[in-house]
Amino acid sequence: MSVQSASRSEPTPGSILVWDVPVRVFHWLMVLCFAGAWLTAESERWRLLHVTLGYTMAALVVFRLVWGLVGTRYARFSAFVRGPAAVARYVRSIVQQQPEHHTGHNPAGALAILALLALAALITVTGWANYNEIALPWPEKWMEELHEGAASVMLALVGVHVLAVVLSSRLHHENLARAMVTGRKAGPASEGIRSAWRSLGALMLVAVLGFWWLQWQSAPSGGAGDGANPDAAAVQTEGKHAAKQSRRAGRKHDDDD
Ligand code: HEM
């Protein structure tokens, strides 16, 4: 982070581009996927949707890790991942009511972002192992519990994240949620990014919608797509999970004894 982009002075008014389109598409797809996966977690009927949103989330995390290395100025990890001293200084500036201004992510918010990415990775890997019944050297139950536990921690962290966005917006007199939609914040022209990478953002959307369409085609009650075999998909999805449910019920019975 340059000295210009992390100072205690108010940014010069004027709208500059801070978040490129891929970062914004990534963010709002993450919100959609996490919310959808959470809501469908307990339902056998919506299992394929839950799994599809999980796979999408995994791909989004992989994309964000790559974009954090090669992306635009404020998207790069090197621009916002800071050591404990910077986090402490930022927190002190808040307590002293002289908040340090950061054009990109602030050092404390960056910690939450890294934790959200790590949790999303853990949830999707454990979910994938569960769904595909990957043979593991430890009881399957542990994997399920790790999956559900990590999702609960992520939900709590999302709550903290949204609260921090609201508080930070008030403190800095800038609407951060709107900036994550428009990509723009107030600031001097020299701090803006030059390209929005619209084509890459559009490609991400097309890839995700295409994947969702393919998954929908393979759903038991999905469209009658040419290459799809709805009956086989139904047997596979339902059979797998009926077996899993009955194992779960058996385990619960053992626990109750
Ligand atoms: C499932 C829910 C959510 C998840 C998983 C999530 C995750 C994230 C992640 C990973 C980032 C970093 C973005 C990047 O650099 O690529 C971020 C930033 C951000 N998110 Fe969320 N988010 C969620 C919900 C929300 C909601 C509901 C809002 C709106 C109030 C919001 C507003 C923001 C803003 C404004 C930033 C940029 C913060 C800054 O200026 O430093 N997020 N979020």
Side-chain angles (χ1 to χ4, degrees):
M1 172 98 32
S2 69
V3 178
Q4 284 164 313
S5 54
S7 72
R8 287 188 186 197
S9 59
E10 286 300 309
T12 318
S15 166
I16 57 165
L17 189 61
V18 174
W19 306 122
D20 56 54
V21 176
V23 162
R24 286 178 269 156
V25 168
F26 156 82
H27 182 269
W28 296 112
L29 280 176
M30 277 286 279
V31 174
L32 188 69
C33 289
F34 182 72
W38 179 271
L39 292 174
T40 52
E42 297 298 329
S43 159
E44 282 306 307
R45 182 162 181 237
W46 296 108
R47 181 64 55 202
L48 190 62
L49 178 59
H50 178 81
V51 170
T52 300
L53 294 175
Y55 284 146
T56 310
M57 210 156 94
L60 287 170
V61 171
V62 171
F63 161 78
R64 190 60 186 91
L65 293 179
V66 174
W67 200 238
L69 299 176
V70 301
T72 56
R73 178 170 173 183
Y74 301 104
R76 289 189 185 220
F77 295 123
S78 60
F80 64 86
V81 178
R82 288 283 168 271
V87 176
R89 199 175 54 236
Y90 179 75
V91 172
R92 233 183 359 256
S93 80
I94 301 275
V95 173
Q96 291 166 352
Q97 300 197 343
Q98 284 182 308
E100 257 179 28
H101 183 264
H102 291 261
T103 307
H105 301 304
N106 69 59
L111 282 186
I113 290 166
L114 293 182
L116 284 169
L117 290 175
L119 281 166
L122 180 63
I123 292 166
T124 51
V125 168
T126 51
W128 166 80
N130 256 332
Y131 184 68
N132 293 294
E133 301 183 341
I134 303 295
L136 297 161
W138 53 80
E140 186 191 339
K141 185 182 172 184
W142 292 3
M143 196 57 114
E144 280 182 29
E145 285 178 359
L146 188 57
H147 181 66
E148 289 166 13
S152 302
V153 174
M154 182 150 166
L155 182 67
L157 194 57
V158 163
V160 172
H161 167 68
V162 172
L163 193 67
V165 165
V166 171
L167 292 179
S168 199
S169 296
R170 295 183 72 143
L171 211 60
H172 293 288
H173 309 291
E174 61 182 350
N175 187 333
L176 295 177
R178 191 176 58 205
M180 202 28 102
V181 175
T182 62
R184 297 193 157 268
K185 285 185 176 183
S190 60
E191 289 191 11
I193 57 171
R194 275 197 297 276
S195 168
W197 286 79
R198 280 190 193 82
S199 314
L200 182 58
L203 193 67
M204 286 167 73
L205 269 181
V206 169
V208 167
L209 291 176
F211 173 60
W212 289 355
W213 184 79
L214 286 175
Q215 290 288 89
W216 182 71
Q217 291 292 300
S218 74
S221 56
D226 285 337
N229 183 347
D231 294 341
V235 169
Q236 196 196 10
T237 308
E238 282 164 15
K240 207 178 208 175
H241 289 283
K244 194 157 209 165
Q245 282 295 90
S246 81
R247 277 203 306 280
R248 267 189 176 179
R251 265 205 318 264
K252 185 166 184 335
H253 183 71
D254 292 347
D255 290 348
D256 291 345
D257 286 344

